[in-house]
Amino acid sequence: MRSAPDGEPPEPAIEAIAAHYDSLDRFYRDIWGEHVHHGLWLSGRESPEEAVLQMSHLVLDRLELPPGARIADIGCGYGATARLAAEGHGARVVGFTVSAAQKSYADRLVPSRGAVDIRLQDWAVAEFADGELDGAFALESLEHFADKAGFARKLRRAVRPGGRLVIATWLRSDRVCAWSQRHLLNALCREGRQPLLTTAGALCSTLRVAGFSQVEVEDLTRRVARTWNVIIGRTVLRLVTRRQYRTYLLQSTAVDRVFALTACRIWLAFRTGCFRYGFITCR
């Protein structure tokens, strides 16, 4: 882990990321469900569960998967989107997580068609033959990668010519005031075990330099921000009604208990405009 300038979040160690998700496993699944990512509200009338599925389906639609495609789910969490790819497209999916708790849960669920192989492995050390994959996606996992250039180069080699990469990721705005950077973005990155957030422009430039073409970015910020109203509401309700939540927050050894505060930071970061949600498709 490199040292960081005063106030800037350091590059997180893989062990710290894994411990974060293992520590919060039961709370993530209870509050988020098995899809640990933002919902996508298109009409505004969707339930939170429908919105979450819409985000996963958008990722898979943009991949333009042929039947039986071999794809990688980088940072697969509990494997929910990987299973949708297998069941809906007959895809053969290899998913990567560094959380033993996530893999344990995912391994208990077998898709009705296709195949899902969840690996407890850091994507950075995974090996693929050149052009082995028909496509790949990273649904809210790229935030944990400090070396985004290395991530892009590795995927460029692994995905066959004409294959697609889809990234849905947290970003920062091009212009962020010093207060928001220090007290919102830097703080939420430290608490969420993430390096400093990048911008849409910088990430797209990295992908193009790596050799991807037709790099297109959409700002979905306004369509996903409602997620945090839902998360905060569910968290408050559980704190009031469930003793295990209050006990966890009071434990002096619960290093990730501050993540309850992180949800409030993200909610405010959305409202102030310093936090963005990018959806990137490239070939």
Side-chain angles (χ1 to χ4, degrees):
M1 182 186 299
R2 69 164 176 81
S3 59
D6 183 40
E8 181 180 320
E11 294 179 5
I14 292 298
E15 295 78 10
I17 298 171
H20 170 81
Y21 284 104
D22 287 343
S23 170
L24 292 170
D25 167 58
R26 60 177 174 171
F27 301 103
Y28 271 132
R29 282 191 287 114
D30 185 40
I31 293 174
W32 288 79
E34 59 183 35
H35 286 272
V36 189
H37 59 74
H38 283 69
L40 177 66
W41 277 265
L42 298 175
S43 70
R45 297 185 296 273
E46 298 92 343
S47 69
E49 291 73 23
E50 290 170 337
V52 165
L53 284 173
Q54 283 185 161
M55 179 63 77
S56 288
H57 285 303
L58 179 62
V59 169
L60 299 179
D61 289 347
R62 293 295 175 83
L63 282 172
E64 297 183 355
L65 297 174
R70 178 165 172 77
I71 61 174
D73 179 353
I74 303 152
C76 64
Y78 299 107
T81 303
R83 288 189 292 275
L84 287 177
E87 293 172 349
H89 301 269
R92 296 167 295 136
V93 189
V94 55
F96 295 88
T97 178
V98 296
S99 165
Q102 290 180 345
K103 175 175 167 55
S104 176
Y105 178 89
D107 283 346
R108 297 197 295 268
L109 302 174
V110 180
S112 58
R113 62 189 291 243
V116 175
D117 172 20
I118 304 296
R119 299 180 184 176
L120 184 62
Q121 184 180 30
D122 178 9
W123 159 258
V125 300
E127 295 184 1
F128 287 97
D130 290 356
E132 180 178 347
L133 300 174
D134 295 301
F137 66 93
L139 178 49
E140 295 182 32
S141 59
L142 186 60
E143 304 88 83
H144 290 297
F145 286 77
D147 183 10
K148 292 177 175 57
F151 168 91
R153 288 193 300 269
K154 185 167 188 170
L155 276 171
R156 177 61 188 86
R157 293 192 299 270
V159 176
R160 64 170 174 78
R164 287 197 165 199
L165 167 66
V166 175
I167 299 170
T169 189
W170 302 11
L171 301 166
R172 64 177 174 85
S173 177
D174 291 328
R175 295 183 179 181
V176 179
C177 72
W179 187 92
S180 293
Q181 184 66 58
R182 184 176 186 87
H183 296 288
L184 296 179
L185 299 185
N186 287 354
L188 71 86
C189 285
R190 283 195 301 273
E191 293 158 6
R193 306 301 187 270
Q194 300 168 12
L196 189 68
L197 290 175
T198 189
T199 64
L203 181 55
C204 288
S205 177
T206 297
L207 291 166
R208 292 189 183 100
V209 169
F212 285 99
S213 63
Q214 300 177 24
V215 179
E216 301 175 357
V217 60
E218 300 171 64
D219 189 331
L220 297 182
T221 304
R222 296 181 65 181
R223 295 189 180 276
V224 305
R226 189 182 302 185
T227 299
W228 293 95
N229 295 3
V230 175
I231 297 304
I232 291 173
R234 289 176 177 174
T235 302
V236 170
L237 178 62
R238 284 158 173 75
L239 283 170
V240 171
T241 61
R242 299 186 187 180
R243 180 180 297 177
Q244 64 177 354
Y245 276 76
R246 298 191 296 273
T247 300
Y248 183 82
L249 287 179
L250 292 173
Q251 287 177 349
S252 60
T253 57
V255 296
D256 283 304
R257 62 186 176 176
V258 74
F259 199 69
L261 176 60
T262 307
C264 297
R265 293 191 202 275
I266 296 174
W267 181 90
L268 184 57
F270 267 120
R271 296 306 179 278
T272 59
C274 65
F275 189 85
R276 316 304 295 174
Y277 191 98
F279 192 92
I280 299 171
T281 306
C282 47
R283 189 178 298 280

